[in-house]
Amino acid sequence: MSNSSNSGVGFTQQGQVDWVSFGNTVVHVTINVLDRLEGAGVQALTYAGIEQLVQRFKLPELGRQRVWQTVEGLGVYNGASNLLWFGFGHRSLFRHLSESVSGLKVIALCSCLGEAHTETISAKVICALWKELGFPEDFEPSHTQFLTLIKACGGAFATSPFPELLTRMLPGNMIGPTQKTCSEPADIARALHALFEISSGQKKSVAVVGGAECSFIAAMAYWIFNFDVYVEDMDERLVFRSSISDSTIQPATAQVYVRYIDLARPDVVVSQTTYVLGEPKELLMYAPDSELVLRQRVPWDRCLHSTFGQAFEDLSSLPTDLGSILGGVARIHAALAQGDVDVGDYDRLFFSYFAEASQGSAYLDSAEEIFPEIKNIGLRGAMQSALSKSVFEVQSLLESSSLSLRRSCRCKDCSNTPQKSYYCLHGLAGTIVDLITTLSSVQFEYDKKIDPTCYGLDSFFQKNMVTEVLPPTGSTARTKVFKCAPIPHLARKGKAPPLRQTLDGRLECLIRLFTGYDPFSEFTGSMALKEWTAISKSGICVFAEGLVSMTTQPDVLCRIHVMPGRIGRPKSKNSLSAREYEAVLDLSSWPKLPPLNILTVSTEAEESMELERADTALNTLKMTPMIIEPGDGGMLTLYYCVSTPQGDIHIPPGRMTSFVLRQAGLVACAKGHCPPKPSEGSTVFTVKSGWKVDRTTVATIPLIPCYIWDNMRTCEAGRLAAMAVYHTPMDNYHSDIILRRKECLNCCIAAATRMRREHKGHTDIPWIYHIL
């Protein structure tokens, strides 16, 4: 069998299709192509049909070059010892499509649709195009098949100029967080058909009028088809012209003339030759509102102003207050991450921001690098001043800055004379803090960062301003409580911990930020409650560091990767073909432990890193990634397995990531002024070998038992396995873990004593501590 790179599947290039011949055609494709089709879930009929559909338009040389340059720059990132890939795999269907002109046309059509619309609406547009072009129903692929094709091409243009063009084609008053809805798929298909006819010489020009959907037609006409485009707003003011210097491009001479109009106005008259892109009608009857949203990305260098408008301008006019808040956060992060004794009343237990870029002066650099608008305000002096203060002084500074913002704010909660649709300055400052803190641990696996969406930025504000509180017993109504802390992501002692501290909560926030859509909108019931370690949604892939390198180092494990593309599994001896997935799930619970052997210990606290002290059995410990793959694809589960002579210890990467971040940073180390010997209230044991504490001896220990696992200091697989062993309470004693970083041993033991005092209400059974 053979497959020509330029002939598609052997059909005519233009004009009418002989559908009788089509039905009897033998499609010549290689086993390699069939394997890629199966991996993406695309049927051969769908592949043949879409190849025929794209023959109805010509791709000009410049458009082809733009698509190819974008595709050529897309990458793939391997994880879990090459068991998974993220992005666009070398043997994916997408890569096969990029090898031919007809395939590039498929990518151009599907990726442009997917960049502006939800995947569901994009597939409905392809279905509508099939009907608009007069293709017979007998050969029409299902909506699900077109949806699979859209997903296979999703994200390809996320870092191209196309998303910025979509926003550039909108009038200024339409740019912002207010959600814009798409038009009816049939209307979009008719407008696209008109572009196809211009490209093939059947039409000379076309006029398109309507709402926000016009931006998609204008952007595609310019970037893909290289047409002369002229765009006007409702007041006939110029929004975009293909060539600013070429004044000959006017509404009457442009190949594509676009005009935004309010179709609800009674005085608006639309000619029969004009293509109208109005509000959805039939879609409203069967599609949820979340599926109708048009995606709107905004460039990083002006995303805050584009999203928050006047409120951000007002906040920028208070540089001392905003700079003090950002510098104060950097100081508190550094104190918590580095184990300082003075952390005010902030709770070490719920701190999880250990990335180097999330603390100290690196946090200030992150703020200016992520948001150039912040750098342009000139906050560096105020930020540095706050960073140089003590935590006690910073707390006072944060309170005064927060009060100043509230006095200047014109929102309905802070002002007696509120301004309509105004963002709270206090909440906006907290949102910027949250965004910087979250994004400073993000690693973009591409040369150009993916631009955020207006809706995603707005969602950060909403979650930082409002918390839903569970109703009292007997009541069904939830109440909304507005947060008051200028740094809402940190917990204070004696107060409820902040939301979104879990790993899957962070993944969810990032997917919403970069796609503008809810990652779990299509899931209900138990599926929506699953814990995730990777998500691919609307062409954006977000995955945890634990799928790349599982470690006990919190500054590494807090990293989250973001890139365009999908999640895939290469072909292997256990997998008949390469497969693509929507998500990677974590194990639903901590697995049952095998019957492990008892610890061998000494009763001396030894501060040593000598390798000869390590248990020789640790040299044979290996951590292997394992996959549970469902038969129908969609999602898979990945975990790690540490093999011991007594059996396997299973490690869920998502749960272990949250556990590592929770158990690190618990120690206050005086750094040179540490206690000269262990706390007198503790009994110290140094572990030599084994895994489990002898239960019969725990109750006989008069003081607080502290087990020092120095034999694991150089064995990451062993440390992770030990954390998995002591994650859950034992039958006749409680255990807790202190994940040691650079803190001295005596301060770790002192921390265990302090933690036991905090658990003073739990005196029914013994409590032991493990220092790893």
Side-chain angles (χ1 to χ4, degrees):
M1 290 181 286
S2 65
N3 180 45
S4 173
S5 63
N6 290 306
S7 63
V9 287
F11 305 127
T12 57
Q13 295 298 308
Q14 295 291 146
Q16 297 299 316
V17 181
D18 182 351
W19 289 106
V20 175
S21 175
F22 179 92
N24 295 317
T25 298
V26 177
V27 181
H28 296 284
V29 293
T30 64
I31 293 295
N32 178 41
V33 174
L34 289 175
D35 183 57
R36 299 186 190 201
L37 288 171
E38 181 183 355
V42 175
Q43 297 174 357
L45 176 63
T46 307
Y47 174 69
I50 195 67
E51 288 272 1
Q52 184 57 48
L53 188 150
V54 298
Q55 302 309 319
R56 292 300 186 93
F57 67 86
K58 289 183 177 180
L59 195 62
E61 183 62 32
L62 182 57
R64 186 186 308 177
Q65 182 180 350
R66 286 167 174 164
V67 174
W68 171 245
Q69 287 178 343
T70 300
V71 169
E72 189 179 30
L74 298 173
V76 62
Y77 193 99
N78 294 318
S81 300
N82 296 325
L83 282 182
L84 296 176
W85 55 258
F86 306 96
F88 297 91
H90 298 301
R91 293 180 55 81
S92 63
L93 173 61
F94 178 87
R95 292 298 182 188
H96 167 68
L97 290 172
S98 69
E99 294 169 358
S100 67
V101 174
S102 60
L104 287 176
K105 291 160 77 174
V106 173
I107 292 173
L109 177 61
C110 294
S111 297
C112 283
L113 279 168
E115 187 54 40
H117 308 83
T118 62
E119 292 170 336
T120 300
I121 296 301
S122 299
K124 289 184 183 297
V125 173
I126 300 290
C127 290
L129 258 178
W130 187 277
K131 295 178 175 64
E132 172 69 20
L133 296 173
F135 290 6
E137 186 177 338
D138 291 347
F139 298 108
E140 181 180 354
S142 67
H143 173 268
T144 302
Q145 274 294 293
F146 282 135
L147 179 62
T148 303
L149 187 64
I150 291 291
K151 290 182 177 181
C153 299
F157 292 167
T159 54
S160 74
F162 186 74
E164 187 171 352
L165 272 172
L166 283 170
T167 303
R168 178 70 181 83
M169 296 297 181
L170 287 169
N173 61 355
M174 295 181 71
I175 300 174
T178 303
Q179 293 186 350
K180 288 84 182 171
T181 55
C182 66
S183 297
E184 286 290 332
D187 294 340
I188 302 172
R190 280 191 287 271
L192 285 173
H193 187 194
L195 298 185
F196 293 178
E197 290 180 320
I198 297 176
S199 73
S200 60
Q202 299 175 57
K203 283 183 182 291
K204 290 186 177 180
S205 62
V206 64
V208 181
V209 300
E213 187 69 59
C214 291
S215 65
F216 167 69
I217 296 299
M220 196 164 180
Y222 174 76
W223 200 69
I224 296 295
F225 292 104
N226 196 33
F227 294 153
D228 291 337
V229 178
Y230 193 97
V231 183
E232 288 181 337
D233 65 11
M234 293 185 183
D235 298 319
E236 300 186 17
R237 290 174 299 197
L238 176 65
V239 174
F240 179 87
R241 183 166 54 193
S242 298
S243 176
I244 298 298
S245 59
D246 188 356
S247 60
T248 62
I249 301 177
Q250 295 294 328
T253 59
Q255 290 174 286
V256 178
Y257 167 60
V258 174
R259 167 83 184 278
Y260 290 92
I261 63 173
D262 183 0
L263 294 170
R265 287 176 50 183
D267 59 333
V268 171
V269 179
V270 180
S271 70
Q272 293 182 349
T273 59
T274 300
Y275 293 86
V276 180
L277 297 174
E279 296 297 315
K281 296 178 181 178
E282 293 182 12
L283 277 175
L284 296 174
M285 295 186 290
Y286 58 84
D289 292 346
S290 60
E291 292 289 353
L292 309 181
V293 177
L294 284 171
R295 178 186 288 158
Q296 184 184 344
R297 296 193 189 279
V298 283
W300 286 104
D301 60 359
R302 56 181 183 273
C303 65
L304 295 177
H305 182 270
S306 296
T307 303
F308 302 111
Q310 184 61 49
F312 180 68
E313 289 187 20
D314 292 348
L315 186 62
S316 302
S317 67
L318 302 168
T320 302
D321 295 321
L322 180 58
S324 296
I325 289 175
L326 294 179
V329 170
R331 177 66 182 92
I332 294 170
H333 280 193
L336 289 166
Q338 297 169 16
D340 289 359
V341 175
D342 175 22
V343 294
D345 64 348
Y346 291 98
D347 197 332
R348 301 177 192 271
L349 182 62
F350 294 100
F351 179 78
S352 56
Y353 302 97
F354 293 96
E356 183 179 350
S358 299
Q359 51 186 286
S361 59
Y363 185 90
L364 310 187
D365 296 336
S366 296
E368 295 180 338
E369 180 182 349
I370 294 169
F371 297 115
E373 292 165 290
I374 288 180
K375 184 176 183 179
N376 295 337
I377 297 173
L379 306 181
R380 196 72 185 200
M383 292 193 295
Q384 289 284 11
S385 175
L387 183 62
S388 64
K389 299 181 182 298
S390 68
V391 173
F392 177 80
E393 292 172 324
V394 162
Q395 283 187 277
S396 177
L397 183 62
L398 287 173
E399 291 175 2
S400 62
S401 297
S402 177
L403 181 60
S404 175
L405 292 182
R406 285 195 177 280
R407 287 172 176 166
S408 303
C409 185
R410 291 179 281 168
C411 80
K412 59 184 178 62
D413 297 297
C414 299
S415 174
N416 294 324
T417 56
Q419 180 177 327
K420 187 178 180 181
S421 302
Y422 187 86
Y423 286 91
C424 174
L425 296 186
H426 182 262
L428 181 54
T431 299
I432 293 173
V433 165
D434 193 10
L435 282 164
I436 297 169
T437 302
T438 301
L439 292 168
S440 59
S441 62
V442 167
Q443 182 168 314
F444 290 94
E445 300 302 336
Y446 195 67
D447 294 338
K448 182 180 182 298
K449 294 191 300 184
I450 302 171
D451 287 334
T453 64
C454 281
Y455 175 73
L457 291 165
D458 179 73
S459 70
F460 264 78
F461 176 85
Q462 300 301 332
K463 82 178 180 66
N464 278 302
M465 278 300 294
V466 182
T467 303
E468 282 196 339
V469 179
L470 290 174
T473 304
S475 172
T476 58
R478 288 174 176 262
T479 58
K480 292 184 176 180
V481 176
F482 287 85
K483 300 180 182 179
C484 297
I487 41 179
H489 62 287
L490 294 179
R492 310 288 284 268
K493 292 178 181 177
K495 296 184 179 180
L499 298 177
R500 307 281 185 196
Q501 289 297 300
T502 59
L503 173 63
D504 55 342
R506 292 184 186 180
L507 296 179
E508 178 185 349
C509 287
L510 289 171
I511 278 288
R512 189 176 288 111
L513 177 65
F514 293 112
T515 68
Y517 307 131
D518 185 350
F520 306 126
S521 59
E522 58 202 81
F523 301 125
T524 58
S526 60
M527 285 305 300
L529 300 176
K530 295 286 187 180
E531 295 197 22
W532 317 75
T533 51
I535 308 171
S536 174
K537 177 79 172 181
S538 296
I540 304 300
C541 186
V542 177
F543 55 101
E545 175 66 25
L547 298 184
V548 179
S549 60
M550 196 67 225
T551 177
T552 59
Q553 303 301 317
D555 55 326
V556 175
L557 206 54
C558 67
R559 187 182 303 143
I560 295 176
H561 303 257
V562 176
M563 67 186 302
R566 299 270 284 161
I567 302 167
R569 184 182 182 189
K571 187 175 181 179
S572 65
K573 63 179 181 180
N574 297 323
S575 177
L576 297 179
S577 64
R579 302 287 295 275
E580 295 181 14
Y581 302 90
E582 303 290 326
V584 179
L585 299 176
D586 208 25
L587 289 177
S588 58
S589 62
W590 287 88
K592 186 177 180 180
L593 295 170
L596 300 170
N597 53 355
I598 301 299
L599 289 177
T600 300
V601 300
S602 71
T603 56
E604 297 180 4
E606 304 175 23
E607 180 75 52
S608 174
M609 286 291 290
E610 297 176 7
L611 294 179
E612 62 266 25
R613 293 183 55 252
D615 181 2
T616 56
L618 295 179
N619 297 328
T620 63
L621 285 181
K622 293 183 178 180
M623 186 168 58
T624 307
M626 308 291 289
I627 283 179
I628 302 173
E629 186 172 12
D632 58 351
M635 287 168 281
L636 55 77
T637 300
L638 183 140
Y639 64 96
Y640 292 93
C641 177
V642 177
S643 298
T644 72
Q646 293 78 36
D648 295 337
I649 300 174
H650 294 168
I651 298 173
R655 294 176 182 275
M656 182 57 77
T657 294
S658 298
F659 191 44
V660 166
L661 296 179
R662 182 185 177 95
Q663 302 308 124
L666 299 179
V667 179
C669 187
K671 300 177 179 61
H673 303 282
C674 308
K677 58 182 181 179
S679 171
E680 295 181 356
S682 61
T683 301
V684 178
F685 301 94
T686 299
V687 176
K688 297 295 185 181
S689 63
W691 295 98
K692 298 185 73 174
V693 172
D694 185 354
R695 300 181 181 181
T696 60
T697 62
V698 170
T700 64
I701 301 175
L703 301 176
I704 300 173
C706 293
Y707 290 83
I708 315 299
W709 291 72
D710 256 11
N711 62 326
M712 298 287 192
R713 292 297 293 277
T714 58
C715 179
E716 281 290 87
R719 297 183 85 195
L720 289 165
M723 292 189 72
V725 169
Y726 291 102
H727 175 269
T728 54
M730 301 301 173
D731 292 340
N732 57 351
Y733 63 89
H734 286 294
S735 62
D736 210 343
I737 291 175
I738 295 175
L739 189 57
R740 185 181 176 190
R741 299 170 69 207
K742 298 179 181 180
E743 303 91 353
C744 71
L745 182 59
N746 288 343
C747 284
C748 291
I749 297 172
T753 306
R754 172 184 55 79
M755 292 167 64
R756 182 64 188 96
R757 287 197 303 267
E758 294 175 355
H759 294 141
K760 59 185 177 181
H762 304 278
T763 58
D764 49 337
I765 58 178
W767 204 296
I768 66 174
Y769 292 87
H770 301 273
I771 300 175
L772 282 164

